[in-house]
Structures are given as C-alpha cells and as structure tokens.
Amino acid sequence: QAGSLQALQQQAAESVGVTAKQLPGLIRLTVLEQALSDALVSTLPATAAQLKAEYHKDIDQFDQIDVAQIAVSSKSLATHILSLARKNVASFPALAHQYSQDQASAANGGEIGSVGRSQVVSLLGTAKTKIGTIQLLHTQGEYLVLHLISRHTVPLSQATAQLKSNLYASQATALLQKALSDEATKLGVRVNPRYGRWDVTTQTVLAVKSSISLPS
C-alpha cells in the first residue's frame, strides 16, 4: 500500500519523528527493550488461575483463522462466485483477482491474513466456521465470499511467556528502568565533564552549569 519498501520506511520514520537513516537503530532499540522487559517479567510469579483468566481474556491472540475474501456489491454475482469457489476451492485466488473490488486483498489472492476466531464466529455463527468451508456474508453494503483456510491455536501451556507479558504490562517499564539503573551503577558509568554528569536515576547526562564567566 505504501508503494515501496523505501516509502514504507519513510512513513514509519516520520510517524515517530526520526529520519529514515535513524529508523533501523530505533527499531533495534525498541525490540531490545521489549526482549529485556519480557525476560524480566518472566521471573515474576503467576498463578494458574491468573494465566487462565488472561488467556481467555485475549483468546483471539491464541486462536485465529486464516481468511480469504472476495468482496463484490452484487448479491447475484456473489452467489455465482460462491458456486464457482465451492466447486473448485483451488480457483479461489484466481476468482479474487478477477472479481474482488477490494484491491488490497485481491492482489494476495483474496487473503486478508489471520483473524481472531471469535470475530469470525460473531459474523458467521459457530455452525459455519468449519475450516475449509466457503461462506457468503452480507455486511456494510457489500457481499463477501469468505474462505476459511486454516485455524491456528496456541495452547495455554505454550502461551505462558506472552500471558505474563500481558499480565504485568504495567510493571514492565519500571522493572526495565530498575534493571538498567542497577547495571549502570554496577558498571560505573563515567562521562567526560565537558558534556555534563551521569545521573543514575534518570539514566541521562545532565548538563553542568559552567563556573567560567566569559567577558562581556
């Protein structure tokens, strides 16, 4: 949608107020901070009940369906496409390219990616969410021929790290700041006095007011 990788990178850089050249460094720092936060949070205790409650609260993170769609404005055309797709499931990508008015998904053979299963159920009902089926849906003035390609689930037993990260999200920043402060104290950070002094609490270099008076 951005037109090119370069354009996408430029948009991302502008959205966070840095240059395109600075963006890779910012991404690396952000990912590193998240990894450190996750590692610190993983050491915190959590009961089975807490993990189960968090799992079901954000179940769409762990139970998703890969969906493809063909969007048209005519019911008769949608019904025709539905019939063709059900006769030959393998033709769905070609039908999306030919008929879908949603250009973004049409370019991908109709695929829109993974969608939380509860969202699919709310649209189609539980009885129509069998994987492999092709269904017709009328919503917001258009007709959607939906192909439910596959289902991906992450069991609670494999989601502990993510659940803890969600559970202790409000504490992650404080834990990270404390860990960095402790490490800085242990390492003994030194700053050239011409640039100021290191403040271990804020983890920044503070400017020091010069004692030299310049002649007016």
Side-chain angles (χ1 to χ4, degrees), residues 135-157:
Q135 307 289 352
L136 179 60
L137 174 68
H138 182 220
T139 178
Q140 297 180 345
E142 65 180 359
Y143 293 88
L144 302 177
V145 180
L146 301 179
H147 180 202
L148 309 186
I149 302 171
S150 58
R151 182 179 178 183
H152 310 281
T153 60
V154 178
L156 191 154
S157 60

Side-chain angles (χ1 to χ4, degrees), residues 92-111:
F92 197 96
L95 292 172
H97 281 293
Q98 181 178 356
Y99 293 108
S100 185
Q101 61 191 22
D102 178 5
Q103 297 302 311
S105 61
N108 295 319
E111 287 204 41

Side-chain angles (χ1 to χ4, degrees), residues 27-51:
I27 292 174
R28 182 179 184 279
L29 178 61
T30 302
V31 172
L32 180 58
E33 287 182 343
Q34 184 61 57
L36 288 170
S37 295
D38 289 346
L40 292 166
V41 164
S42 68
T43 65
L44 298 179
T47 66
Q50 285 177 308
L51 294 174

Side-chain angles (χ1 to χ4, degrees), residues 124-182:
L124 298 174
T126 305
K128 293 184 178 182
T129 56
K130 183 180 179 181
I131 299 305
T133 63
I134 299 175
Q135 307 289 352
L136 179 60
L137 174 68
H138 182 220
T139 178
Q140 297 180 345
E142 65 180 359
Y143 293 88
L144 302 177
V145 180
L146 301 179
H147 180 202
L148 309 186
I149 302 171
S150 58
R151 182 179 178 183
H152 310 281
T153 60
V154 178
L156 191 154
S157 60
Q158 295 178 17
T160 301
Q162 182 61 50
L163 294 172
K164 278 193 173 184
S165 181
N166 295 346
L167 193 61
Y168 293 111
S170 62
Q171 299 178 38
T173 300
L175 286 169
L176 178 60
Q177 292 302 316
K178 184 179 184 305
L180 292 177
S181 179
D182 290 346

Side-chain angles (χ1 to χ4, degrees), residues 14-122:
E14 291 174 355
S15 70
V16 292
V18 299
T19 66
K21 188 176 181 179
Q22 294 171 320
L23 184 63
L26 178 60
I27 292 174
R28 182 179 184 279
L29 178 61
T30 302
V31 172
L32 180 58
E33 287 182 343
Q34 184 61 57
L36 288 170
S37 295
D38 289 346
L40 292 166
V41 164
S42 68
T43 65
L44 298 179
T47 66
Q50 285 177 308
L51 294 174
K52 185 176 181 180
E54 191 68 26
Y55 181 79
H56 288 290
K57 186 180 77 173
D58 295 319
I59 189 62
D60 277 353
Q61 287 189 48
F62 310 109
D63 190 358
Q64 300 185 331
I65 294 178
D66 188 18
V67 179
Q69 69 173 19
I70 300 174
V72 296
S73 56
S74 164
K75 182 178 181 180
S76 58
L77 177 58
T79 302
H80 175 63
I81 295 170
L82 179 68
S83 176
L84 292 176
R86 282 180 169 173
K87 288 179 181 178
N88 181 11
V89 176
S91 69
F92 197 96
L95 292 172
H97 281 293
Q98 181 178 356
Y99 293 108
S100 185
Q101 61 191 22
D102 178 5
Q103 297 302 311
S105 61
N108 295 319
E111 287 204 41
I112 60 174
S114 295
V115 179
R117 182 173 178 274
S118 71
Q119 298 178 47
V120 179
V121 170
S122 68

